[in-house]
């Protein structure tokens, strides 16, 4: 049997080979886990950057464009029509993301807001703020 380099396998006995692989993984699993996490983080960043560009690249409430993509959040305008969280889709690569019509359909149900505007929007929905962003006095302030 040959491996990808054309060399023979270190073990002809399958059980010895499995044992070697288990020991190898135990020895190097931290390195492999670190590589997997780094690849996942990079893929999520690329996917989010692509979705931000799709939505226009700026907050839909305050119209500010931020240099850091972590500022942006996707807010479903109607929670009853939400099929899934956008953030759950970020693990896909960019090509797969845009080939999937369901993700773009779900994204069209959302507003892209900066973190501040997103918090303000949820405070408004809870009744803590009116439409202009003024406090309605529902929450007691610390004195």
């Amino acid at each position: 049997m040959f491996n990808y380099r054309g060399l023979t396998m270190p073990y002809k006995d399958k059980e010895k080979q499995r044992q070697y692989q288990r020991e190898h993984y135990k020895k190097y699993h931290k390195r492999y886990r670190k590589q997997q996490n780094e690849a996942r983080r990079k893929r999520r960043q690329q996917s989010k950057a692509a979705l931000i560009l799709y939505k226009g690249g700026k907050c839909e409430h305050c119209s500010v464009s931020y240099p850091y993509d972590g500022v942006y959040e996707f807010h479903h305008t109607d929670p009853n029509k939400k099929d899934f969280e956008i953030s759950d889709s970020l693990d896909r690569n960019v090509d797969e993301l845009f080939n999937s019509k369901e993700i773009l359909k779900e994204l069209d149900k959302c507003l892209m807001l900066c973190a501040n505007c997103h918090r303000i929007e949820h405070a408004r929905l809870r009744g803590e703020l009116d439409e202009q962003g003024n406090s309605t006095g529902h929450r007691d302030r610390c004195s």
Side-chain angles (χ1 to χ4, degrees):
M1 182 171 265
F2 295 93
N3 65 12
Y4 69 95
R5 292 185 182 142
L7 306 172
T8 59
M9 298 297 285
Y11 299 101
K12 291 183 180 186
D13 181 6
K14 289 285 184 190
E15 191 52 44
K16 285 182 181 179
Q17 183 178 346
R18 281 190 208 107
Q19 183 62 31
Y20 168 80
Q21 289 171 337
R22 280 188 213 107
E23 290 171 8
H24 179 82
Y25 183 76
K26 279 183 188 177
K27 185 176 178 181
Y28 295 106
H29 81 279
K30 287 183 182 177
R31 181 192 313 168
Y32 293 143
R33 179 64 75 189
K34 185 178 177 183
Q35 289 171 348
Q36 288 172 343
N37 288 341
E38 182 62 29
R40 182 173 187 255
R41 186 184 64 77
K42 186 176 178 181
R43 187 173 54 248
R44 288 180 67 85
Q45 284 177 339
Q46 290 173 339
S47 295
K48 186 168 184 180
L51 295 181
I52 288 169
L53 286 175
Y54 175 80
K55 290 296 281 184
K58 60 184 177 181
C59 175
E60 293 184 42
H61 276 191
C62 66
S63 299
V64 175
S65 179
Y66 293 93
Y68 176 61
D69 292 343
V71 170
Y72 297 109
E73 299 173 355
F74 298 102
H75 173 74
H76 281 84
T77 52
D78 185 357
N80 298 324
K81 293 183 180 177
K82 177 164 80 172
D83 293 327
F84 58 89
E85 293 284 340
I86 298 296
S87 62
D88 294 340
S89 305
L90 295 179
D91 284 330
R92 299 178 180 190
N93 66 38
V94 176
D95 294 333
E96 186 181 330
L97 200 65
F98 281 100
N99 287 336
S100 173
K101 300 286 187 229
E102 65 183 23
I103 293 170
L104 298 179
K105 219 158 118 179
E106 192 68 23
L107 199 57
D108 290 337
K109 301 176 193 176
C110 298
L111 294 174
M112 187 177 72
L113 305 175
C114 67
N116 286 341
C117 289
H118 196 201
R119 301 305 176 279
I120 291 168
E121 180 66 17
H122 278 278
R124 189 185 62 74
L125 292 172
R126 286 190 305 270
E128 295 173 11
L129 300 174
D130 62 17
E131 291 297 321
Q132 288 75 35
N134 300 318
S135 176
T136 57
H138 283 289
R139 190 173 69 165
D140 292 331
R141 301 259 181 208
C142 296
S143 38

